[in-house]
Structures are given as C-alpha cells and as structure tokens.
Amino acid sequence: MQNYKARQTALLGMLFALSMALSFLESMLTPFFGLMPAMKLGLSNIVVMYAVLFLNRRSALYLMLLKALFALLTRGVTPGFFRCVGRAFPGLCSACFWHCIHHHRLHFSVSGRLAHNCGQLLGAAALLSDKMAITYAPMLLIAGLIVGSCTYMVSRLIFPAVKRIIPPKSKVESKITF
C-alpha cells in the first residue's frame, strides 16, 4: 500500500511538472498566435484531462488545485482567483457528466473548456464588471469551442502512446479509447 501511495504521489508530481512546463510553453506561444488575454491554447489541460480519465478523481482534483495555487503564488491574487474559479467549473462539469465520458470524449473536452471559460466570465463579472464580461463572452466562448476541439485532437494523438508507456490498471481504464 505504501509503495502504491509513493508511486501515485510521484506520478502526480510529474504530471504537475509537465502541466507547468506546458503552461509556460503556452504563455510563450499565446502572443505569437495573437490571442487576446485569457485566451489560451489549453495545452496544460491535456494533462488534467489525462488525470481525469486515467487516474482517480482525487488525483485530478489535486492537480487542478496545485495548478490554481501555483497561479496564485506566481501571478498574483487576481489571476489566481480567475484560475481557481475557472478550475472549479470544469471539475463540477466532469463530476456531472462522468457517466458520459466514455461515450463522448469530444463533448467532455469541449464542455470542460467552456465550463472553464464560463467560470472565468463569472469571476470577471464579480470582480471587474458585468458589461465587460458580457462583451467578452462571445469571443471567449467561441475560442473555447475551438480550443476544446483542438485539445481533444491532441489528446487523441497522445493518449494511446501514454497508454503503451503506462499500462492501464483496471478494466474501465483499458476500455477508454481515443
């Protein structure tokens, strides 16, 4: 049992480090693509999506909390607040649609991204202004549809290779295909 916990902790640490590296890469690429503030490519969300699908929900929750805490510590209170609010909504979304994940992975990816954007818009409405959030909403939601679809396509390419490196431990996990 202790070996399992150590292995899970090490895997979670590696996933967090990978998520942070992808987040850094994403912050370097965002100006290159000419995206507006708060529009990100969602590369680090692939790691969270892996945790939701192939690890237990607790590990995925820890990963989301670590990412939000890291944003709070490195970027300040306001971006940290937006990350926390943005991370809470996809967590609720995945909890509500957990039974649909195995059948509609594209919907899972897109709905998670849209839920993240809706959480950030609600946070912006509460912290800044309602008018600003309503004005920004259509652009952010369209970007969420595009980015969520791209996240699904990239994960569809990556997850089979990861499953070969880290073999599934349960029957449910082995049935997840991309």
Side-chain angles (χ1 to χ4, degrees):
M1 185 67 160
Q2 190 174 15
N3 189 19
Y4 174 77
K5 285 184 179 182
R7 186 174 292 154
Q8 284 296 105
T9 303
L11 180 61
L12 188 63
M14 288 188 292
L15 288 175
F16 176 65
L18 177 62
S19 176
M20 291 299 98
L22 289 173
S23 181
F24 178 73
L25 176 67
E26 182 178 81
S27 68
M28 300 298 278
L29 292 176
T30 299
F32 177 73
F33 288 116
L35 298 174
M36 297 171 69
M39 289 185 186
K40 303 244 187 253
L41 297 173
L43 297 175
S44 64
N45 294 333
I46 295 170
V47 178
V48 175
M49 197 166 150
Y50 172 82
V52 168
L53 291 173
F54 297 106
L55 301 177
N56 56 28
R57 287 190 245 180
R58 179 179 287 175
S59 295
L61 177 66
Y62 287 154
L63 189 59
M64 287 189 284
L65 289 174
L66 283 171
K67 286 180 64 174
L69 181 63
F70 188 78
L72 181 72
L73 293 174
T74 59
R75 294 186 180 120
V77 176
T78 304
F81 171 74
F82 285 128
R83 290 279 173 125
C84 288
V85 173
R87 297 274 180 252
F89 274 68
L92 293 172
C93 183
S94 67
C96 293
F97 297 111
W98 182 252
H99 61 282
C100 300
I101 291 172
H102 305 297
H103 305 293
H104 306 288
R105 290 168 295 279
L106 174 63
H107 297 146
F108 175 68
S109 177
V110 171
S111 66
R113 186 62 188 180
L114 290 175
H116 177 82
N117 289 351
C118 288
Q120 287 187 326
L121 286 169
L122 288 173
L127 200 61
L128 302 172
S129 103
D130 294 344
K131 288 182 183 180
M132 190 276 311
I134 290 172
T135 305
Y136 204 55
M139 292 179 285
L140 199 60
L141 294 176
I142 289 170
L145 286 171
I146 294 167
V147 168
S149 299
C150 292
T151 301
Y152 166 73
M153 288 186 275
V154 170
S155 65
R156 188 172 181 187
L157 295 172
I158 292 174
F159 287 173
V162 172
K163 282 177 73 173
R164 284 192 298 264
I165 296 169
I166 305 170
K169 292 178 181 56
S170 68
K171 290 181 182 179
V172 172
E173 207 176 282
S174 62
K175 291 180 184 177
I176 298 174
T177 58
F178 266 82

PDB file of all heavy atoms in Angstrom, residues 63-92:
ATOM      1  N   LEU A  63      -4.436  17.859  -8.815  1.00  0.00           N
ATOM      2  CA  LEU A  63      -3.707  18.500  -9.899  1.00  0.00           C
ATOM      3  C   LEU A  63      -4.316  19.855 -10.239  1.00  0.00           C
ATOM      4  O   LEU A  63      -3.591  20.846 -10.423  1.00  0.00           O
ATOM      5  CB  LEU A  63      -3.700  17.586 -11.128  1.00  0.00           C
ATOM      6  CG  LEU A  63      -2.821  17.996 -12.287  1.00  0.00           C
ATOM      7  CD1 LEU A  63      -1.371  18.115 -11.868  1.00  0.00           C
ATOM      8  CD2 LEU A  63      -2.964  17.004 -13.419  1.00  0.00           C
ATOM      9  N   MET A  64      -5.637  19.929 -10.288  1.00  0.00           N
ATOM     10  CA  MET A  64      -6.294  21.210 -10.556  1.00  0.00           C
ATOM     11  C   MET A  64      -6.013  22.215  -9.445  1.00  0.00           C
ATOM     12  O   MET A  64      -5.752  23.387  -9.704  1.00  0.00           O
ATOM     13  CB  MET A  64      -7.800  21.015 -10.722  1.00  0.00           C
ATOM     14  CG  MET A  64      -8.188  20.361 -12.031  1.00  0.00           C
ATOM     15  SD  MET A  64      -9.957  20.357 -12.344  1.00  0.00           S
ATOM     16  CE  MET A  64     -10.515  19.073 -11.258  1.00  0.00           C
ATOM     17  N   LEU A  65      -6.040  21.760  -8.194  1.00  0.00           N
ATOM     18  CA  LEU A  65      -5.761  22.658  -7.071  1.00  0.00           C
ATOM     19  C   LEU A  65      -4.310  23.129  -7.078  1.00  0.00           C
ATOM     20  O   LEU A  65      -4.032  24.300  -6.797  1.00  0.00           O
ATOM     21  CB  LEU A  65      -6.089  21.963  -5.748  1.00  0.00           C
ATOM     22  CG  LEU A  65      -7.569  21.756  -5.449  1.00  0.00           C
ATOM     23  CD1 LEU A  65      -7.744  20.917  -4.189  1.00  0.00           C
ATOM     24  CD2 LEU A  65      -8.279  23.081  -5.310  1.00  0.00           C
ATOM     25  N   LEU A  66      -3.382  22.234  -7.400  1.00  0.00           N
ATOM     26  CA  LEU A  66      -1.980  22.622  -7.474  1.00  0.00           C
ATOM     27  C   LEU A  66      -1.753  23.667  -8.562  1.00  0.00           C
ATOM     28  O   LEU A  66      -1.008  24.635  -8.365  1.00  0.00           O
ATOM     29  CB  LEU A  66      -1.099  21.392  -7.739  1.00  0.00           C
ATOM     30  CG  LEU A  66      -0.829  20.484  -6.560  1.00  0.00           C
ATOM     31  CD1 LEU A  66      -0.141  19.199  -7.028  1.00  0.00           C
ATOM     32  CD2 LEU A  66       0.035  21.185  -5.529  1.00  0.00           C
ATOM     33  N   LYS A  67      -2.400  23.483  -9.708  1.00  0.00           N
ATOM     34  CA  LYS A  67      -2.262  24.466 -10.788  1.00  0.00           C
ATOM     35  C   LYS A  67      -2.825  25.817 -10.376  1.00  0.00           C
ATOM     36  O   LYS A  67      -2.226  26.858 -10.651  1.00  0.00           O
ATOM     37  CB  LYS A  67      -2.973  23.957 -12.043  1.00  0.00           C
ATOM     38  CG  LYS A  67      -2.234  22.849 -12.755  1.00  0.00           C
ATOM     39  CD  LYS A  67      -2.997  22.391 -13.977  1.00  0.00           C
ATOM     40  CE  LYS A  67      -3.080  23.515 -14.975  1.00  0.00           C
ATOM     41  NZ  LYS A  67      -3.685  23.131 -16.239  1.00  0.00           N
ATOM     42  N   ALA A  68      -3.965  25.820  -9.716  1.00  0.00           N
ATOM     43  CA  ALA A  68      -4.564  27.082  -9.273  1.00  0.00           C
ATOM     44  C   ALA A  68      -3.698  27.751  -8.205  1.00  0.00           C
ATOM     45  O   ALA A  68      -3.493  28.968  -8.227  1.00  0.00           O
ATOM     46  CB  ALA A  68      -5.972  26.838  -8.753  1.00  0.00           C
ATOM     47  N   LEU A  69      -3.179  26.972  -7.262  1.00  0.00           N
ATOM     48  CA  LEU A  69      -2.314  27.518  -6.222  1.00  0.00           C
ATOM     49  C   LEU A  69      -1.026  28.071  -6.819  1.00  0.00           C
ATOM     50  O   LEU A  69      -0.550  29.139  -6.417  1.00  0.00           O
ATOM     51  CB  LEU A  69      -1.996  26.448  -5.172  1.00  0.00           C
ATOM     52  CG  LEU A  69      -1.128  26.869  -4.009  1.00  0.00           C
ATOM     53  CD1 LEU A  69      -1.833  27.953  -3.185  1.00  0.00           C
ATOM     54  CD2 LEU A  69      -0.787  25.680  -3.134  1.00  0.00           C
ATOM     55  N   PHE A  70      -0.481  27.380  -7.792  1.00  0.00           N
ATOM     56  CA  PHE A  70       0.729  27.857  -8.458  1.00  0.00           C
ATOM     57  C   PHE A  70       0.473  29.192  -9.156  1.00  0.00           C
ATOM     58  O   PHE A  70       1.296  30.098  -9.100  1.00  0.00           O
ATOM     59  CB  PHE A  70       1.229  26.806  -9.455  1.00  0.00           C
ATOM     60  CG  PHE A  70       2.561  27.132 -10.052  1.00  0.00           C
ATOM     61  CD1 PHE A  70       3.731  26.921  -9.327  1.00  0.00           C
ATOM     62  CD2 PHE A  70       2.658  27.651 -11.327  1.00  0.00           C
ATOM     63  CE1 PHE A  70       4.965  27.221  -9.867  1.00  0.00           C
ATOM     64  CE2 PHE A  70       3.886  27.966 -11.883  1.00  0.00           C
ATOM     65  CZ  PHE A  70       5.043  27.744 -11.153  1.00  0.00           C
ATOM     66  N   ALA A  71      -0.687  29.316  -9.821  1.00  0.00           N
ATOM     67  CA  ALA A  71      -1.039  30.585 -10.467  1.00  0.00           C
ATOM     68  C   ALA A  71      -1.198  31.685  -9.434  1.00  0.00           C
ATOM     69  O   ALA A  71      -0.787  32.824  -9.657  1.00  0.00           O
ATOM     70  CB  ALA A  71      -2.326  30.423 -11.280  1.00  0.00           C
ATOM     71  N   LEU A  72      -1.795  31.352  -8.310  1.00  0.00           N
ATOM     72  CA  LEU A  72      -1.965  32.333  -7.236  1.00  0.00           C
ATOM     73  C   LEU A  72      -0.616  32.818  -6.712  1.00  0.00           C
ATOM     74  O   LEU A  72      -0.413  34.009  -6.504  1.00  0.00           O
ATOM     75  CB  LEU A  72      -2.799  31.724  -6.107  1.00  0.00           C
ATOM     76  CG  LEU A  72      -3.084  32.618  -4.913  1.00  0.00           C
ATOM     77  CD1 LEU A  72      -4.088  33.693  -5.302  1.00  0.00           C
ATOM     78  CD2 LEU A  72      -3.615  31.803  -3.755  1.00  0.00           C
ATOM     79  N   LEU A  73       0.314  31.896  -6.522  1.00  0.00           N
ATOM     80  CA  LEU A  73       1.624  32.252  -5.977  1.00  0.00           C
ATOM     81  C   LEU A  73       2.521  32.974  -6.976  1.00  0.00           C
ATOM     82  O   LEU A  73       3.309  33.831  -6.592  1.00  0.00           O
ATOM     83  CB  LEU A  73       2.332  31.001  -5.462  1.00  0.00           C
ATOM     84  CG  LEU A  73       1.712  30.327  -4.239  1.00  0.00           C
ATOM     85  CD1 LEU A  73       2.426  29.018  -3.925  1.00  0.00           C
ATOM     86  CD2 LEU A  73       1.746  31.259  -3.044  1.00  0.00           C
ATOM     87  N   THR A  74       2.419  32.620  -8.258  1.00  0.00           N
ATOM     88  CA  THR A  74       3.352  33.194  -9.232  1.00  0.00           C
ATOM     89  C   THR A  74       2.791  34.377  -9.998  1.00  0.00           C
ATOM     90  O   THR A  74       3.552  35.216 -10.469  1.00  0.00           O
ATOM     91  CB  THR A  74       3.804  32.129 -10.246  1.00  0.00           C
ATOM     92  OG1 THR A  74       2.652  31.602 -10.920  1.00  0.00           O
ATOM     93  CG2 THR A  74       4.576  31.027  -9.562  1.00  0.00           C
ATOM     94  N   ARG A  75       1.476  34.459 -10.149  1.00  0.00           N
ATOM     95  CA  ARG A  75       0.908  35.524 -10.982  1.00  0.00           C
ATOM     96  C   ARG A  75       0.131  36.556 -10.179  1.00  0.00           C
ATOM     97  O   ARG A  75      -0.311  37.546 -10.725  1.00  0.00           O
ATOM     98  CB  ARG A  75       0.017  34.912 -12.055  1.00  0.00           C
ATOM     99  CG  ARG A  75       0.829  34.078 -13.030  1.00  0.00           C
ATOM    100  CD  ARG A  75      -0.006  33.596 -14.167  1.00  0.00           C
ATOM    101  NE  ARG A  75       0.824  32.820 -15.064  1.00  0.00           N
ATOM    102  CZ  ARG A  75       0.596  31.567 -15.355  1.00  0.00           C
ATOM    103  NH1 ARG A  75      -0.424  30.942 -14.843  1.00  0.00           N
ATOM    104  NH2 ARG A  75       1.388  30.931 -16.184  1.00  0.00           N
ATOM    105  N   GLY A  76      -0.145  36.289  -8.921  1.00  0.00           N
ATOM    106  CA  GLY A  76      -0.854  37.253  -8.097  1.00  0.00           C
ATOM    107  C   GLY A  76      -2.274  36.829  -7.777  1.00  0.00           C
ATOM    108  O   GLY A  76      -2.746  35.779  -8.197  1.00  0.00           O
ATOM    109  N   VAL A  77      -2.951  37.670  -7.014  1.00  0.00           N
ATOM    110  CA  VAL A  77      -4.274  37.333  -6.497  1.00  0.00           C
ATOM    111  C   VAL A  77      -5.331  37.291  -7.597  1.00  0.00           C
ATOM    112  O   VAL A  77      -6.114  36.352  -7.669  1.00  0.00           O
ATOM    113  CB  VAL A  77      -4.680  38.345  -5.389  1.00  0.00           C
ATOM    114  CG1 VAL A  77      -6.090  38.081  -4.915  1.00  0.00           C
ATOM    115  CG2 VAL A  77      -3.707  38.271  -4.223  1.00  0.00           C
ATOM    116  N   THR A  78      -5.366  38.291  -8.468  1.00  0.00           N
ATOM    117  CA  THR A  78      -6.419  38.339  -9.488  1.00  0.00           C
ATOM    118  C   THR A  78      -6.315  37.177 -10.481  1.00  0.00           C
ATOM    119  O   THR A  78      -7.299  36.461 -10.681  1.00  0.00           O
ATOM    120  CB  THR A  78      -6.414  39.694 -10.225  1.00  0.00           C
ATOM    121  OG1 THR A  78      -6.555  40.731  -9.255  1.00  0.00           O
ATOM    122  CG2 THR A  78      -7.550  39.778 -11.213  1.00  0.00           C
ATOM    123  N   PRO A  79      -5.150  36.932 -11.092  1.00  0.00           N
ATOM    124  CA  PRO A  79      -5.067  35.757 -11.970  1.00  0.00           C
ATOM    125  C   PRO A  79      -5.294  34.446 -11.212  1.00  0.00           C
ATOM    126  O   PRO A  79      -5.889  33.509 -11.745  1.00  0.00           O
ATOM    127  CB  PRO A  79      -3.651  35.813 -12.536  1.00  0.00           C
ATOM    128  CG  PRO A  79      -3.236  37.212 -12.398  1.00  0.00           C
ATOM    129  CD  PRO A  79      -3.929  37.726 -11.173  1.00  0.00           C
ATOM    130  N   GLY A  80      -4.822  34.387  -9.977  1.00  0.00           N
ATOM    131  CA  GLY A  80      -5.059  33.196  -9.162  1.00  0.00           C
ATOM    132  C   GLY A  80      -6.537  32.971  -8.899  1.00  0.00           C
ATOM    133  O   GLY A  80      -7.029  31.844  -8.933  1.00  0.00           O
ATOM    134  N   PHE A  81      -7.264  34.076  -8.647  1.00  0.00           N
ATOM    135  CA  PHE A  81      -8.712  33.982  -8.443  1.00  0.00           C
ATOM    136  C   PHE A  81      -9.396  33.462  -9.709  1.00  0.00           C
ATOM    137  O   PHE A  81     -10.250  32.585  -9.646  1.00  0.00           O
ATOM    138  CB  PHE A  81      -9.278  35.352  -8.057  1.00  0.00           C
ATOM    139  CG  PHE A  81     -10.777  35.409  -8.033  1.00  0.00           C
ATOM    140  CD1 PHE A  81     -11.484  34.814  -7.001  1.00  0.00           C
ATOM    141  CD2 PHE A  81     -11.476  36.044  -9.050  1.00  0.00           C
ATOM    142  CE1 PHE A  81     -12.874  34.861  -6.980  1.00  0.00           C
ATOM    143  CE2 PHE A  81     -12.853  36.103  -9.036  1.00  0.00           C
ATOM    144  CZ  PHE A  81     -13.559  35.504  -7.996  1.00  0.00           C
ATOM    145  N   PHE A  82      -9.004  34.018 -10.870  1.00  0.00           N
ATOM    146  CA  PHE A  82      -9.600  33.567 -12.126  1.00  0.00           C
ATOM    147  C   PHE A  82      -9.286  32.095 -12.395  1.00  0.00           C
ATOM    148  O   PHE A  82     -10.135  31.355 -12.892  1.00  0.00           O
ATOM    149  CB  PHE A  82      -9.133  34.425 -13.304  1.00  0.00           C
ATOM    150  CG  PHE A  82      -9.779  35.772 -13.342  1.00  0.00           C
ATOM    151  CD1 PHE A  82      -9.012  36.917 -13.448  1.00  0.00           C
ATOM    152  CD2 PHE A  82     -11.152  35.911 -13.294  1.00  0.00           C
ATOM    153  CE1 PHE A  82      -9.598  38.170 -13.493  1.00  0.00           C
ATOM    154  CE2 PHE A  82     -11.750  37.158 -13.334  1.00  0.00           C
ATOM    155  CZ  PHE A  82     -10.973  38.288 -13.432  1.00  0.00           C
ATOM    156  N   ARG A  83      -8.085  31.663 -12.062  1.00  0.00           N
ATOM    157  CA  ARG A  83      -7.735  30.252 -12.247  1.00  0.00           C
ATOM    158  C   ARG A  83      -8.559  29.366 -11.320  1.00  0.00           C
ATOM    159  O   ARG A  83      -9.034  28.310 -11.725  1.00  0.00           O
ATOM    160  CB  ARG A  83      -6.242  30.023 -11.979  1.00  0.00           C
ATOM    161  CG  ARG A  83      -5.330  30.613 -12.992  1.00  0.00           C
ATOM    162  CD  ARG A  83      -5.232  29.709 -14.198  1.00  0.00           C
ATOM    163  NE  ARG A  83      -4.476  30.363 -15.234  1.00  0.00           N
ATOM    164  CZ  ARG A  83      -3.416  29.850 -15.808  1.00  0.00           C
ATOM    165  NH1 ARG A  83      -2.985  28.669 -15.449  1.00  0.00           N
ATOM    166  NH2 ARG A  83      -2.804  30.500 -16.753  1.00  0.00           N
ATOM    167  N   CYS A  84      -8.712  29.783 -10.059  1.00  0.00           N
ATOM    168  CA  CYS A  84      -9.499  28.980  -9.109  1.00  0.00           C
ATOM    169  C   CYS A  84     -10.944  28.853  -9.557  1.00  0.00           C
ATOM    170  O   CYS A  84     -11.518  27.759  -9.545  1.00  0.00           O
ATOM    171  CB  CYS A  84      -9.431  29.588  -7.706  1.00  0.00           C
ATOM    172  SG  CYS A  84      -7.846  29.400  -6.905  1.00  0.00           S
ATOM    173  N   VAL A  85     -11.537  29.972  -9.961  1.00  0.00           N
ATOM    174  CA  VAL A  85     -12.925  29.941 -10.424  1.00  0.00           C
ATOM    175  C   VAL A  85     -13.022  29.145 -11.720  1.00  0.00           C
ATOM    176  O   VAL A  85     -13.936  28.345 -11.910  1.00  0.00           O
ATOM    177  CB  VAL A  85     -13.469  31.379 -10.608  1.00  0.00           C
ATOM    178  CG1 VAL A  85     -14.841  31.374 -11.239  1.00  0.00           C
ATOM    179  CG2 VAL A  85     -13.514  32.099  -9.275  1.00  0.00           C
ATOM    180  N   GLY A  86     -12.048  29.362 -12.611  1.00  0.00           N
ATOM    181  CA  GLY A  86     -12.039  28.634 -13.870  1.00  0.00           C
ATOM    182  C   GLY A  86     -11.827  27.146 -13.695  1.00  0.00           C
ATOM    183  O   GLY A  86     -12.350  26.333 -14.454  1.00  0.00           O
ATOM    184  N   ARG A  87     -11.092  26.744 -12.683  1.00  0.00           N
ATOM    185  CA  ARG A  87     -10.851  25.313 -12.426  1.00  0.00           C
ATOM    186  C   ARG A  87     -12.037  24.657 -11.728  1.00  0.00           C
ATOM    187  O   ARG A  87     -12.261  23.460 -11.870  1.00  0.00           O
ATOM    188  CB  ARG A  87      -9.613  25.117 -11.556  1.00  0.00           C
ATOM    189  CG  ARG A  87      -8.342  25.580 -12.168  1.00  0.00           C
ATOM    190  CD  ARG A  87      -7.717  24.523 -13.041  1.00  0.00           C
ATOM    191  NE  ARG A  87      -6.491  25.030 -13.598  1.00  0.00           N
ATOM    192  CZ  ARG A  87      -6.340  25.363 -14.867  1.00  0.00           C
ATOM    193  NH1 ARG A  87      -7.336  25.256 -15.699  1.00  0.00           N
ATOM    194  NH2 ARG A  87      -5.196  25.806 -15.313  1.00  0.00           N
ATOM    195  N   ALA A  88     -12.791  25.421 -10.969  1.00  0.00           N
ATOM    196  CA  ALA A  88     -13.919  24.839 -10.229  1.00  0.00           C
ATOM    197  C   ALA A  88     -15.028  24.377 -11.168  1.00  0.00           C
ATOM    198  O   ALA A  88     -15.608  23.308 -10.976  1.00  0.00           O
ATOM    199  CB  ALA A  88     -14.464  25.852  -9.223  1.00  0.00           C
ATOM    200  N   PHE A  89     -15.318  25.152 -12.191  1.00  0.00           N
ATOM    201  CA  PHE A  89     -16.412  24.803 -13.090  1.00  0.00           C
ATOM    202  C   PHE A  89     -16.147  23.534 -13.903  1.00  0.00           C
ATOM    203  O   PHE A  89     -17.035  22.695 -14.012  1.00  0.00           O
ATOM    204  CB  PHE A  89     -16.757  25.988 -13.991  1.00  0.00           C
ATOM    205  CG  PHE A  89     -17.724  26.935 -13.347  1.00  0.00           C
ATOM    206  CD1 PHE A  89     -17.350  27.693 -12.258  1.00  0.00           C
ATOM    207  CD2 PHE A  89     -19.012  27.051 -13.817  1.00  0.00           C
ATOM    208  CE1 PHE A  89     -18.230  28.558 -11.649  1.00  0.00           C
ATOM    209  CE2 PHE A  89     -19.907  27.914 -13.224  1.00  0.00           C
ATOM    210  CZ  PHE A  89     -19.515  28.668 -12.134  1.00  0.00           C
ATOM    211  N   PRO A  90     -14.965  23.332 -14.501  1.00  0.00           N
ATOM    212  CA  PRO A  90     -14.748  22.061 -15.196  1.00  0.00           C
ATOM    213  C   PRO A  90     -14.791  20.861 -14.258  1.00  0.00           C
ATOM    214  O   PRO A  90     -15.227  19.780 -14.645  1.00  0.00           O
ATOM    215  CB  PRO A  90     -13.359  22.206 -15.806  1.00  0.00           C
ATOM    216  CG  PRO A  90     -13.141  23.645 -15.909  1.00  0.00           C
ATOM    217  CD  PRO A  90     -13.886  24.270 -14.769  1.00  0.00           C
ATOM    218  N   GLY A  91     -14.351  21.065 -13.010  1.00  0.00           N
ATOM    219  CA  GLY A  91     -14.447  19.977 -12.039  1.00  0.00           C
ATOM    220  C   GLY A  91     -15.892  19.580 -11.795  1.00  0.00           C
ATOM    221  O   GLY A  91     -16.233  18.394 -11.746  1.00  0.00           O
ATOM    222  N   LEU A  92     -16.755  20.574 -11.648  1.00  0.00           N
ATOM    223  CA  LEU A  92     -18.187  20.296 -11.496  1.00  0.00           C
ATOM    224  C   LEU A  92     -18.761  19.670 -12.760  1.00  0.00           C
ATOM    225  O   LEU A  92     -19.581  18.759 -12.704  1.00  0.00           O
ATOM    226  CB  LEU A  92     -18.941  21.583 -11.160  1.00  0.00           C
ATOM    227  CG  LEU A  92     -18.648  22.213  -9.806  1.00  0.00           C
ATOM    228  CD1 LEU A  92     -19.322  23.572  -9.694  1.00  0.00           C
ATOM    229  CD2 LEU A  92     -19.107  21.295  -8.689  1.00  0.00           C
TER     230      LEU A  92
END
